[in-house]
Amino acid sequence: MTDAPVDLREPEPTAGTGDTLIEARGLSAGYGKMAVVREIDIRVDAGEVVALIGANGAGKTTTLLTLAGELTPLEGEVRFLGEATRAPMHVRCRAGLGYVTEERSVIMDMTVSENLKLAAVPPATAFTYFPDLERIMGRKAGLCSGGEQQMLSLARALGREPKVLLADELSLGLAPIIVTNLLKAVRAAADERGIGVLLVEQHVRQALKVADRVYLMERGHIILSGTSAEIVGQLDKIEAAYLSGS
Ligand code: ATP
């Protein structure tokens, strides 16, 4: 713990930059009847990358699963593309929600090329995000490295041109250069295609380099929010108080 407390400002959203694509309002969610996420407000606008940070067990994955429609809110609501929704995940995905996790969503028996084709992603689109995929198009995904598989997985998700991407620890266990490539692709998707991205990332410093805004979660609550520039200035204290030992 540090001597000086972290400057915990009210977690008021910063000024909106555009259309809000996905939003949690007064959202509580969890497993069975037990809320592990309580009364949270989060929003992601078009063209924004927003990082959701917090220690292990803070409730980040639960938040993403509820925004995606995999868990039903216990209280409050999820708004997607301007409307409150209780639709299941597959319906939200059809309407423009993308969801990627550390579990690479690729078919191991198929080549990289076939994986893209199955997702109806033109190779040229995939290469704009990950030029390295071009030289391994004929390789079975199961024979690719973990980093290559995750680039393919993210290319499949982004190539479908979602409006919103929820990304949960997509770089878990991968080499630093791959983490950089994945985060760059996420930033490019927001900048060039207006996709709104909510990013849970264990590499907090790297995530903050590409994020516009940040929410800090502790024990199911959002306890701090701000622009990345604001949060970076306090990151040493935040890490010591809320992220260390996680
Ligand atoms: P991590 O970084 O470790 O993935 P997190 O911030 O994503 O953590 P969650 O996975 O959302 O946190 O977990 C929040 C709380 O909910 C934890 O206390 C966890 O034990 C609990 N939890 C997670 N999944 C379940 C489940 N399927 N059933 C019951 N409780 C769960």
Side-chain angles (χ1 to χ4, degrees):
M1 284 288 176
T2 52
D3 297 330
V6 175
D7 172 20
L8 290 184
R9 301 173 318 120
E10 277 297 298
E12 281 297 311
T14 48
T17 51
D19 291 341
T20 295
L21 297 177
I22 196 158
E23 195 175 3
R25 285 194 189 168
L27 184 73
S28 298
Y31 305 91
K33 287 187 179 155
M34 206 185 71
V36 298
V37 163
R38 293 182 205 90
E39 295 177 12
I40 62 166
D41 294 302
I42 283 184
R43 64 157 228 285
V44 181
D45 292 351
E48 269 195 314
V49 177
V50 178
L52 179 61
I53 63 173
N56 285 339
K60 305 177 300 292
T61 294
T62 305
T63 301
L64 261 54
L65 288 171
T66 313
L67 288 171
E70 193 69 2
L71 294 173
T72 306
L74 295 166
E75 279 178 54
E77 66 180 15
V78 172
R79 299 180 68 81
F80 181 46
L81 308 179
E83 286 181 15
T85 178
R86 291 180 78 82
M89 186 165 175
H90 70 273
V91 173
R92 286 182 213 188
C93 288
R94 275 208 304 270
L97 183 87
Y99 193 94
V100 285
T101 71
E102 83 274 15
E103 290 167 24
R104 289 132 211 170
S105 168
V106 296
I107 297 164
M108 298 296 177
D109 272 350
M110 287 186 166
T111 63
V112 169
S113 168
E114 289 163 346
N115 266 280
L116 291 173
K117 196 169 178 190
L118 195 69
V121 173
T125 306
F127 303 156
T128 61
Y129 290 114
F130 300 111
D132 286 353
L133 289 179
E134 189 161 6
R135 67 178 169 77
I136 56 166
M137 284 292 273
R139 194 176 298 170
K140 287 224 163 115
L143 298 177
C144 292
S145 69
E148 289 164 345
Q149 288 172 2
Q150 192 60 303
M151 287 192 276
L152 175 58
S153 180
L154 187 55
R156 277 165 55 107
L158 291 175
R160 288 189 199 114
E161 311 225 337
K163 296 184 174 78
V164 172
L165 181 75
L166 305 177
D168 195 353
E169 303 271 23
L170 60 146
S171 66
L172 201 69
L174 298 176
I177 180 70
I178 306 289
V179 180
T180 304
N181 284 346
L182 294 168
L183 292 175
K184 261 192 202 162
V186 156
R187 184 69 254 175
D191 287 341
E192 290 157 25
R193 313 211 175 210
I195 297 174
V197 182
L198 184 58
L199 189 68
V200 170
E201 179 55 63
Q202 61 159 358
H203 301 91
V204 171
R205 284 176 191 275
Q206 275 184 276
L208 262 54
K209 281 187 193 154
V210 301
D212 298 293
R213 291 189 297 116
V214 185
Y215 293 98
L216 171 63
M217 203 164 199
E218 193 199 32
R219 295 183 199 170
H221 295 277
I222 301 289
I223 58 164
L224 176 64
S225 71
T227 64
S228 294
E230 289 166 342
I231 300 293
V232 158
Q234 305 188 64
L235 201 52
D236 286 341
K237 289 182 198 166
I238 288 172
E239 281 183 331
Y242 300 105
L243 305 178
S244 63
S246 63

